[in-house]
Amino acid sequence: MEDLFKLQQEADEQRIAEYNAALKIQAWFRGNRIRKYMRFLHDTAAKIQSTFRMFTTRKRYYVKVKEALVQRKEAEAHKAAAKIQKIWRGYYTRKYIHNYYARRNYLLAVEERNIEIREQLARFAQNQKEIKEREERMKFEEEKILLARKHHYMMSTYQQNGVFASPWFPNTGFEDLISQVPPLSKEERKNLMKPVKSEGLEKNSPRELPPLKNVIQPKQQGPFRDPTICCVLAYNPTITPVIMLPVITHQYT
Amino acid sequence: MSQRQVLLVFEQYQKARTEFVQTVAELSTRPQNIETLQATGVMQLLRPLLLDVVPTVQQTAALALGRLANYNDDLAEAVVKSDILPQLVYSLAEQNRFYKKAAAFVLRAVAKHSPQLAQTVVDCGALDALVICLEEFDPGVKEAAAWALGYIARHNDELAQAVVDAGAVPLLVLCIQEPELSLKRIAASALSDICKHSPELAQTVVDAGAIAHLAQMILNPDSKLKRQVLSAFAQISKHSVELAELVVEAEIFPAVLTCLKDSHEVVIKNTATLIREIAKHTPELCQLIMNAGGVAAVVDYIGDTKGNVRLPGIMMLGYVAAHSETLAMAVIVSKGVNQLAIILSDEQEDHIKAATVWALGQIGRHTPEHAKAIAVSNVLPKLLQSYISPDSSEDLQTKSKKALKNILQKCVYLPALEPLLQEAPPNILKHVVAQYSKVLPNDPSARRMFVTSGGLKKIQEIRAEPGSALQEHIQEINKCFPEEIVRYYSPGYSEALLQRVEGFKPSTEMQTS
């Protein structure tokens, strides 16, 4: 009996074990089959989605490619324009706005011109000075000659040394000058001594009163010299009265 | 016999009148007699003598009146009050040339003192009579009339306009062409007096064709004539660009530059004034002057002369340099900066110094090249001196400050900036420091020079308010140098070192081997 029970127990355990094994196998198989089916479904869905996405994305892609092309072309155009402008601006500025070489040449030309002008002005100034000096010298010479002519009467004679040829004073050459130049003639001396005729309006010689015109003078009684002669003598004593004799009409009562 | 006696009485009276009038005329040449004459009421006595029968008496009486009125304006007023002027004006039309000369002399003597007296002369109708005198043959009469018109026109705008309205200008231009030298001088001076007041008057003179004739006279050797002609040109060209261009078109350059070598200072001064007035207007005119070599001539002239005579020349250089930077560079090339530097050290007068300082500022303010040219000639310390020194006038100080500021903002020549770093007051110092902060970050040799010359030390000693521009510049400079060096030169560092020395405990252990 215990063997039967044991055998039945064993058979029961075996049955249960076989049952579980069969269950596991069936579960596994079913699971596999469903998984495969699920996988199949997922793959199909994925394929559909992927085709659809490829289609839409390609559309959008082409739009983007076109835009990108346009932009690249634009960017190239901008760069080209910038390069042209850069070259042009450089050229224009260098030539017209700030021409370095023209400016340098101008400054060099200014320097040269300055040197020229300075030379010219220096020569001009020198010329003027020389002319002035020459004129002064000539005036001086002329004055000396006039003096020699005036002092003709001081020339030394055979008997008597003149003042300018005194043996006690060094020889200044004035004596020789006197003997060389002609003496003043009578008219020249009169012209020299004649008072300068002015109209008496702007230039005034205060020491000389202008001569009285249109005046009838009675002759003074007594041994008096003529008043006009006295006036002249008072101011210019080197004249001898022989030379200056104005004509005056006297009215006698 | 009685007839003879009657005649004798009249002769004696005539002789007495003649003598009186001639003596009064002679006495009135000496100033010390004039007060006495005035006290004796000589005016009342001379007035009826103007109407005398004998022409000599009339002329000499007019001459005496002229000399009296010439002396001072009280006497001129007395002449006006005694109602002598209408009589003179009336007889200007009638009498012979000696009388006309004397009468014109009286009018001129009265008109020269003040605008009111000149106005009374004009109100008596003198202008028409004088203009008629200008048409006379005798050059002496023309000269006297032109002189009187010149003195009237000198005072103000309305009087000059009145002279022009009387039709004097074409006649004066004719007078300039006459051969007599004194007449030319007076006519040129009268035109110059008319032109100086307003552009319209100058335009009237120019329209009468004066410029061509005046231009011919520039080469005349007589100095007084040249002086008047140059003054006339200067007055014409000062008003507007067109007038200046007209003057320049008369081809006065380069002939007028020879007048800068004349022996008379007034001629030189007037030439310089003329060139200055032309250069003031536009850059093209300056360029014209430059091309004719005018700038070199002016630079030489300011070197040769002294005092007030060189003021127009200095101002002319300033005006030329102010227009554009090429012109300023050309002034530098013509050795202008050296000359101005010499003047700045030689001159004592403040107004000439102020003009020099202003001219230097105009030259140096354009670019760093210009500023370097000015800095190299060692002028910046002198500018600083004139700014700081207490004897400089207000004007000189403001101008020095402006010039320094303008030059410093462009100056990157560091050796010239060093002396300024030592001595400058804060408002100048900030510009100096700003320039250093521009140059030092880029130039290592300059940094070395800066340290060795004691500049870094000075920078540390400057006390600046935080947040001010000066402080920022100082910080920038400090950033260019290593930390230790900056600390080494900062004030009080030696103190800090000594304190460290005091606090240091030397190790007492001796290392034994």
Side-chain angles (χ1 to χ4, degrees):
Chain A
M1 204 73 185
E2 279 108 27
D3 294 323
L4 197 75
F5 185 67
K6 257 194 207 155
L7 279 169
Q8 265 192 341
Q9 229 181 349
E10 273 182 31
D12 215 5
E13 280 168 10
Q14 280 271 29
R15 188 184 46 100
I16 293 173
E18 279 176 12
Y19 177 73
N20 288 340
L23 203 64
K24 235 186 186 147
I25 293 174
Q26 285 171 14
W28 172 83
F29 183 76
R30 283 187 190 125
N32 246 5
R33 205 180 56 179
I34 290 185
R35 270 197 293 277
K36 197 161 178 179
Y37 183 60
M38 287 300 297
R39 193 168 146 202
F40 170 71
L41 283 180
H42 278 307
D43 283 343
T44 344
K47 197 152 182 89
I48 293 172
Q49 285 176 8
S50 112
T51 328
F52 180 73
R53 281 184 187 148
M54 190 173 70
F55 178 66
T56 7
T57 316
R58 209 174 264 166
K59 269 206 306 193
R60 276 195 310 179
Y61 174 71
Y62 284 139
V63 166
K64 277 219 170 100
V65 161
K66 269 195 202 139
E67 257 180 58
L69 188 68
V70 163
Q71 278 188 2
R72 190 161 65 138
K73 287 242 148 70
E74 250 184 71
E76 276 177 16
H78 279 309
K79 263 184 158 176
K83 201 168 179 88
I84 295 176
Q85 287 177 14
K86 171 173 92 166
I87 296 176
W88 161 254
R89 282 191 182 139
Y91 165 76
Y92 188 74
T93 318
R94 271 192 292 278
K95 186 153 177 186
Y96 294 107
I97 303 202
H98 176 74
N99 190 343
Y100 172 75
Y101 294 102
R103 181 171 180 264
R104 189 192 64 156
N105 288 341
Y106 175 68
L107 289 172
L108 286 173
V110 164
E111 268 194 65
E112 279 179 30
R113 182 80 176 127
N114 284 351
I115 295 177
E116 257 181 55
I117 280 276
R118 281 185 167 130
E119 273 177 25
Q120 276 181 14
L121 287 178
R123 253 181 292 148
F124 176 77
Q126 186 66 20
N127 245 352
Q128 296 294 94
K129 216 167 72 149
E130 279 174 11
I131 289 177
K132 226 180 181 182
E133 274 176 19
R134 210 182 318 142
E135 276 177 16
E136 273 178 27
R137 244 182 306 136
M138 277 179 55
K139 216 170 75 158
F140 181 66
E141 296 291 321
E142 272 178 29
E143 274 180 19
K144 247 173 66 167
I145 290 181
L146 184 64
L147 212 60
R149 292 185 74 186
K150 273 204 253 180
H151 293 308
H152 176 80
Y153 297 99
M154 309 275 209
M155 195 165 75
S156 39
T157 58
Y158 184 76
Q159 289 286 6
Q160 175 82 13
N161 283 340
V163 181
F164 296 115
S166 166
W168 289 287
F169 290 103
N171 180 18
T172 52
F174 198 55
E175 173 69 29
D176 299 324
L177 190 59
I178 292 183
S179 49
Q180 281 160 15
V181 294
L184 292 176
S185 69
K186 207 168 170 182
E187 291 81 31
E188 279 176 328
R189 206 170 270 270
K190 194 153 73 164
N191 284 341
L192 266 184
M193 302 310 174
K194 199 190 325 198
V196 174
K197 183 176 180 180
S198 72
E199 293 168 347
L201 287 175
E202 302 305 320
K203 309 167 202 55
N204 184 42
S205 46
R207 287 161 59 96
E208 253 178 56
L209 292 185
L212 304 175
K213 294 188 198 146
N214 298 331
V215 172
I216 306 169
Q217 296 168 327
K219 181 163 170 38
Q220 290 188 349
Q221 301 283 355
F224 296 122
R225 268 208 242 263
D226 208 58
T228 35
I229 304 178
C230 284
C231 188
V232 169
L233 280 178
Y235 286 125
N236 204 344
T238 58
I239 310 169
T240 59
V242 174
I243 302 176
M244 278 298 297
L245 252 191
V247 175
I248 292 188
T249 54
H250 299 294
Q251 292 282 25
Y252 291 93
T253 52
Chain B
M1 293 307 157
S2 63
Q3 191 190 29
R4 176 77 16 91
Q5 299 239 342
V6 168
L7 280 178
L8 192 62
V9 171
F10 280 95
E11 283 154 17
Q12 280 176 344
Y13 180 47
Q14 183 181 327
K15 182 168 146 198
R17 288 201 313 275
T18 328
E19 261 184 60
F20 169 69
V21 128
Q22 282 169 345
T23 328
V24 168
E26 188 208 343
L27 288 174
S28 54
T29 55
R30 315 284 187 85
Q32 56 267 35
N33 299 333
I34 293 194
E35 278 98 27
T36 339
L37 285 173
Q38 192 180 2
T40 51
V42 67
M43 213 61 76
Q44 313 298 41
L45 291 171
L46 283 178
R47 186 176 161 207
L49 289 175
L50 278 177
L51 305 167
D52 200 87
V53 181
V54 181
T56 323
V57 173
Q58 284 177 12
Q59 291 152 26
T60 328
L63 177 64
L65 268 176
R67 286 190 185 144
L68 286 170
N70 207 3
Y71 177 67
N72 72 10
D73 45 347
D74 290 331
L75 282 165
E77 290 261 8
V79 167
V80 169
K81 281 209 199 91
S82 325
D83 252 345
I84 299 181
L85 288 179
Q87 172 59 37
L88 280 173
V89 170
Y90 174 69
S91 41
L92 252 182
E94 317 247 305
Q95 302 280 358
N96 66 5
R97 59 194 170 109
F98 301 108
Y99 191 75
K100 284 192 193 181
K101 269 198 255 187
F105 174 45
V106 177
L107 291 173
R108 159 181 127 221
V110 168
K112 87 170 186 187
H113 293 286
S114 81
Q116 292 80 16
L117 286 169
Q119 189 62 49
T120 27
V121 171
V122 170
D123 292 337
C124 299
L127 284 178
D128 294 322
L130 285 170
V131 167
I132 295 178
C133 283
L134 273 179
E135 293 171 343
E136 284 272 317
F137 284 125
D138 183 46
V141 174
K142 282 197 269 207
E143 186 183 325
W147 211 336
L149 287 169
Y151 274 22
I152 293 177
R154 184 177 286 200
H155 293 288
N156 66 26
D157 202 352
E158 289 92 23
L159 288 165
Q161 187 63 49
V163 169
V164 168
D165 290 337
V169 172
L171 293 167
L172 283 172
V173 173
L174 277 176
C175 285
I176 286 192
Q177 303 164 40
E178 298 281 328
E180 286 83 22
L181 207 52
S182 50
L183 180 55
K184 284 203 231 244
R185 279 188 213 142
I186 306 289
S189 144
L191 284 174
S192 157
D193 286 332
I194 294 178
C195 293
K196 75 181 182 193
H197 297 286
S198 86
E200 293 81 29
L201 289 166
Q203 189 65 47
T204 327
V205 171
V206 165
D207 290 338
I211 290 192
H213 299 113
L214 287 173
Q216 283 166 3
M217 295 200 284
I218 282 196
L219 294 174
N220 194 303
D222 183 52
S223 295
K224 289 198 178 134
L225 178 60
K226 271 199 275 212
R227 164 181 165 176
Q228 302 297 348
V229 167
L230 291 165
S231 151
F233 271 141
Q235 305 294 355
I236 294 177
S237 48
K238 81 178 181 197
H239 292 292
S240 81
V241 186
E242 290 82 21
L243 288 167
E245 281 174 0
L246 278 172
V247 169
V248 166
E249 274 166 27
E251 292 181 24
I252 50 175
F253 288 100
V256 89
L257 297 176
T258 55
C259 298
L260 279 175
K261 292 281 183 189
D262 202 271
S263 43
H264 284 75
E265 285 199 336
V266 191
V267 174
I268 300 178
K269 187 170 181 196
N270 284 353
T271 323
T273 318
L274 167 62
I275 304 183
R276 176 190 84 195
E277 299 298 343
I278 295 181
K280 241 190 199 169
H281 294 289
T282 70
E284 286 80 28
L285 283 169
C286 288
Q287 196 136 39
L288 211 144
I289 300 180
M290 180 90 60
N291 295 348
V295 172
V298 168
V299 167
D300 283 347
Y301 125 76
I302 59 179
D304 294 336
T305 53
K306 301 235 171 301
N308 245 333
V309 182
R310 43 187 177 186
L311 188 59
I314 300 174
M315 290 174 72
M316 178 255 179
L317 289 177
Y319 281 127
V320 166
H323 281 295
S324 87
E325 63 96 19
T326 322
L327 288 168
M329 193 45 122
V331 171
I332 295 177
V333 153
S334 317
K335 306 193 179 49
V337 174
N338 295 339
Q339 199 57 258
L340 288 172
I342 296 175
I343 293 180
L344 197 52
S345 25
D346 285 347
E347 276 294 335
Q348 310 300 330
E349 300 270 316
D350 268 358
H351 61 277
I352 304 183
K353 273 181 151 168
T356 320
V357 151
W358 171 77
L360 282 166
Q362 294 303 324
I363 297 177
R365 73 182 166 94
H366 297 279
T367 73
E369 283 286 322
H370 298 78
K372 178 174 176 185
I374 296 225
V376 155
S377 61
N378 226 358
V379 151
L380 293 177
K382 292 190 199 129
L383 285 175
L384 192 61
Q385 264 321 101
S386 5
Y387 175 49
I388 295 181
S389 141
D391 344 309
S392 322
S393 62
E394 284 282 326
D395 188 41
L396 181 55
Q397 278 181 348
T398 356
K399 290 204 163 99
S400 322
K401 174 169 166 216
K402 241 187 187 173
L404 259 183
K405 193 170 140 185
N406 284 340
I407 298 177
L408 283 175
Q409 278 172 345
K410 289 282 191 304
C411 181
V412 291
Y413 183 62
L414 294 181
L417 291 181
E418 276 168 48
L420 291 183
L421 198 54
Q422 310 296 332
E423 298 172 1
N427 48 359
I428 304 287
L429 199 56
K430 72 175 181 233
H431 295 294
V432 181
V433 173
Q435 291 303 111
Y436 270 113
S437 70
K438 281 186 210 161
V439 177
L440 287 178
N442 305 327
D443 192 355
S445 57
R447 280 193 284 243
R448 192 193 162 108
M449 283 291 295
F450 189 54
V451 171
T452 51
S453 63
L456 193 53
K457 185 165 184 346
K458 185 70 174 64
I459 292 275
Q460 305 311 318
E461 286 167 9
I462 299 175
R463 232 166 283 287
E465 295 104 47
S468 70
L470 190 53
Q471 185 68 6
E472 283 174 32
H473 294 310
I474 294 183
Q475 275 169 6
E476 266 190 59
I477 296 181
N478 287 346
K479 271 190 246 165
C480 304
F481 295 97
E483 178 70 37
E484 308 93 57
I485 305 222
V486 174
R487 239 184 305 136
Y488 177 73
Y489 280 113
S490 46
Y493 185 65
S494 48
E495 276 302 307
L497 271 183
L498 289 174
Q499 295 238 345
R500 271 184 69 190
V501 167
E502 279 178 15
F504 183 70
K505 291 187 183 33
S507 52
T508 46
E509 300 148 11
M510 300 286 278
Q511 294 283 351
T512 50
S513 55

